[in-house]
Amino acid sequence: MDRATAYKDATTYNNFYEFGTDKSDPAQNAHTLVTSPWTVKVEGLVNKPGTFALEDLLKLSPMEERIYRLRCVEGWSMVIPWVDYSLAALIKRVEPQGSAKYVEFVSLADPKQMPGVRSRVLN
């Protein structure tokens, strides 16, 4: 079994371009992100659309622990333990209609909180 990547490495070397283009930029710039209150809005081809607070999402199902093995074409790899609820629990809760084929995720892109959104890389 692969050893988990050190916490410091896993949390400081990443590609969240919303916070900058250098691998260390997200760790330096993410403090500007406002994470509370945080909500997820579900709409579209579902019988029970709604807006869920982060606290409510965490109560949908028991937490599950998974191990993700990430391998990048750039030559780096990481083994990351992850604890979260199952996305399937949220999907089941909102009851997708039979005609629904896809799930679309739309995320925040706020230049005030995410300095990389202003960069030419993301535009």
Side-chain angles (χ1 to χ4, degrees), residues 45-66:
L45 298 174
V46 296
N47 292 327
K48 296 182 178 178
T51 301
F52 301 87
L54 178 60
E55 298 78 22
D56 297 331
L57 291 175
L58 295 175
K59 296 175 188 173
L60 284 177
S61 68
M63 294 289 110
E64 298 179 4
E65 185 173 342
R66 299 180 181 158

Side-chain angles (χ1 to χ4, degrees), residues 15 24 32 39 51 63 68 84-85 91 95 99 110 115 121-122:
N15 287 338
S24 62
T32 60
T39 59
T51 301
M63 294 289 110
Y68 288 99
D84 208 342
Y85 76 94
I91 293 172
E95 298 179 4
S99 58
D110 181 0
V121 173
L122 293 179

